[in-house]
Amino acid sequence: MDVYQAVRTRRAVRGFTDRPVPRETLERVLTAAAWAPSGSNMQPWRVFVVTGAPLAQLKKLAVERVAAGDPWDERQYEMYPPKPKSPYAERRSAFGKERYSALGIAREDWEARQRAAIANWDCFGASAALFCYIDRDLGAPQWADAGMYLQTVMLLLRAEGLHSCPQMAWSQVRTTVAEVVKPPAELILFCGMSIGYQDVALASPRTGRAPLDETVTFITD
């Protein structure tokens, strides 16, 4: 699979089989991903990979917590601006409509929307999960570096025939994640990532993208 194909076929998959992902595959991907760029080569990411019984425990704890209606953990960063301006608000709204329409869930069906959302904490059935942390003392450029690292991971997973779903939602139950991964106190949980083999029997729509002239300006002679 070439780079263009990996980029075009990468998507946030929200339905996986329970087929285990080989440890050697994950090690190969993460060894290569270490070559992702970072300012002054700081490599600010700190990653925990969870599989097997520990992941089953984490899923159980997280799903039970969310199902019980326990309050979210206090935010350590803002996932979205309180009032996104145009065109970001429209793009986010369009994503929600596309996702729930693909699942056959009406906007007013709150219970169905909650059931769909709770699948986040079951990793959408995936057999592997990655949790990316960053030191709380680092700044916005290092968070950008972590994003480039995660994108590199996701593209390498495609090269291995795997899919993924990056999930900031895990930061809302960070203390539950910490019960299993036990991160050092100086780290902040940025996101989780479900990793595995796509369940092709389940809908996994690809969301649209803005046309090139909305996001790119060429300055030429």
Side-chain angles (χ1 to χ4, degrees):
M1 181 181 296
D2 68 20
V3 176
Y4 280 90
Q5 186 179 5
V7 170
R8 291 189 181 115
T9 60
R10 188 218 61 83
R11 65 186 66 191
V13 166
R14 294 179 173 87
F16 296 87
T17 70
D18 60 1
R19 176 182 169 188
V21 179
R23 166 76 175 263
E24 57 268 26
T25 301
L26 294 171
E27 289 185 350
R28 185 163 54 246
V29 164
L30 296 173
T31 298
W35 292 97
S38 61
S40 297
N41 197 31
M42 289 177 67
Q43 305 169 67
W45 48 84
R46 180 73 168 90
V47 168
F48 297 81
V49 179
V50 187
T51 60
L55 181 58
Q57 179 193 12
L58 176 54
K59 289 180 179 182
K60 181 176 183 293
L61 291 172
V63 168
E64 287 178 349
R65 173 180 172 178
V66 176
D70 289 352
W72 300 126
D73 291 328
E74 182 181 357
R75 292 190 187 279
Q76 294 181 296
Y77 68 92
E78 285 297 327
M79 290 171 61
Y80 303 103
K83 293 183 179 180
K85 62 184 180 181
S86 182
Y88 315 114
E90 292 86 351
R91 290 174 185 165
R92 186 180 180 194
S93 177
F95 163 74
K97 290 177 182 177
E98 289 178 16
R99 168 150 167 70
Y100 290 114
S101 293
L103 295 172
I105 298 174
R107 181 178 179 84
E108 63 275 10
D109 191 344
W110 181 248
E111 288 188 4
R113 291 167 71 94
Q114 286 292 89
R115 287 195 299 272
I118 207 170
N120 273 285
W121 294 281
D122 186 47
C123 295
F124 302 106
S127 62
L130 174 155
F131 295 93
C132 181
Y133 286 78
I134 188 167
D135 194 297
R136 67 180 67 249
D137 293 334
L138 297 179
Q142 286 75 53
W143 285 73
D145 291 342
M148 289 191 285
Y149 169 80
L150 291 168
Q151 174 75 340
T152 303
V153 170
M154 289 185 283
L155 295 179
L156 288 167
L157 289 170
R158 287 301 301 124
E160 296 284 352
L162 293 159
H163 276 282
S164 60
C165 183
Q167 300 159 268
M168 288 190 294
W170 281 102
S171 67
Q172 297 173 293
V173 292
R174 58 183 172 78
T175 58
T176 303
V177 178
E179 290 181 41
V180 174
V181 306
K182 297 178 172 52
E186 67 271 15
L187 299 183
I188 290 174
L189 177 59
F190 174 27
C191 70
M193 181 189 295
S194 297
I195 297 171
Y197 297 94
Q198 181 180 8
D199 185 346
V200 296
L202 299 176
S204 184
R206 188 180 183 102
T207 54
R209 292 295 186 268
L212 191 67
D213 61 6
E214 280 190 21
T215 60
V216 176
T217 300
F218 288 95
I219 301 172
T220 61
D221 294 337

